[in-house]
């Protein structure tokens, strides 16, 4: 996705990453109802991420090491998703499960991005590796955010069996914020 863009794109990627991280942290730290509709945004992120990754790899020699590094990055994404899910506070209000991340959730988001960037830094050999590293961020986010959301919703259902965990509450559009 970004492999053929000039060197200045590295700065743009870092700025974009910081903006996205800040938005995720703000959304994580807000009290919100737990909803079980996170699969849509996770699927969209995952599909776009996979398409970006395939396009980045197209026309480049992809080594087994590149694939192993990408797989390791996705395992880290899952690990951070599990860890963040455990830091989210849950409570019941008006028959609905609510959630809010803690400062630890925010720190884990920052650490997650740093870990992904660290793995991406391992892929700096060829132009194909650099393009692959840049293109893998959406897939990384889909895995991490998707697992976190699923685990928080599941935890809410277990903690408050009679409370509502689901989409469409209040008749509005589904909330696609992080942390469910």
């Amino acid at each position: 996705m970004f492999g053929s863009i000039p060197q200045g794109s590295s700065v743009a990627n870092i700025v974009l990453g910081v903006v996205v991280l800040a938005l995720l942290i703000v959304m994580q730290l807000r009290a919100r109802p737990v909803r079980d509709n996170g699969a849509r945004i996770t699927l969209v992120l995952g599909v776009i991420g996979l398409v970006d990754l395939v396009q980045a790899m197209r026309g480049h020699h992809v080594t087994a090491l590149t694939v192993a590094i990408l797989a390791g990055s996705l395992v880290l994404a899952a690990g951070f998703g599990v860890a963040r899910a455990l830091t989210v506070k849950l409570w019941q209000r008006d028959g609905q499960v609510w959630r809010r991340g803690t400062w630890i959730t925010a720190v884990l988001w920052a650490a997650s991005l740093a870990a992904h960037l660290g793995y991406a830094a391992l892929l700096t050999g060829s132009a194909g590796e650099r393009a692959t590293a840049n293109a893998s961020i959406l897939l990384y986010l889909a895995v991490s955010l998707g697992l976190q959301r699923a685990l928080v919703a599941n935890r809410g259902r277990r903690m408050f069996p009679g409370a509502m965990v689901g989409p469409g509450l209040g008749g509005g559009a589904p909330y696609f914020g992080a942390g469910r």
Side-chain angles (χ1 to χ4, degrees):
M1 179 171 151
F2 299 110
S4 61
I5 296 175
Q7 195 71 322
S9 68
S10 296
V11 173
N13 288 343
I14 291 170
V15 169
L16 181 60
V18 169
V19 168
V20 169
L21 177 63
L23 181 61
L24 280 171
I25 289 172
V26 166
M27 296 304 288
Q28 292 276 302
L29 298 179
R30 287 187 181 165
R32 296 283 195 165
V34 174
R35 300 208 180 137
D36 214 3
N37 61 355
R40 278 183 276 176
I41 192 66
T42 302
L43 182 63
V44 168
L45 282 173
V47 168
I48 293 170
L50 195 55
V51 168
D52 280 351
L53 194 57
V54 168
Q55 287 177 346
M57 292 176 152
R58 187 176 291 148
H60 298 287
H61 177 68
V62 178
T63 66
L65 179 60
T66 300
V67 172
I69 289 171
L70 286 172
S73 176
L74 295 178
V75 168
L76 271 178
F80 276 109
V82 170
R84 283 192 317 271
L86 295 173
T87 69
V88 173
K89 290 184 179 185
L90 298 175
W91 67 94
Q92 182 178 356
R93 180 168 70 191
D94 300 326
Q96 166 68 43
V97 178
W98 284 67
R99 61 96 187 142
R100 178 178 31 221
T102 64
W103 67 270
I104 297 171
T105 313
V107 168
L108 287 172
W109 265 114
S112 178
L113 180 62
H116 177 73
L117 293 175
Y119 261 79
L122 296 174
L123 295 173
T124 59
S126 69
E129 286 181 346
R130 286 190 300 276
T132 300
N134 285 334
S136 65
I137 187 67
L138 289 180
L139 191 56
Y140 182 91
L141 287 174
V143 169
S144 194
L145 186 59
L147 190 54
Q148 177 186 342
R149 285 176 168 203
L151 292 174
V152 168
N154 188 47
R155 207 171 106 222
R157 280 191 291 276
R158 283 192 336 264
M159 286 176 67
F160 307 103
M164 189 176 210
V165 174
L169 302 172
Y175 166 67
F176 290 122
R180 287 167 289 141

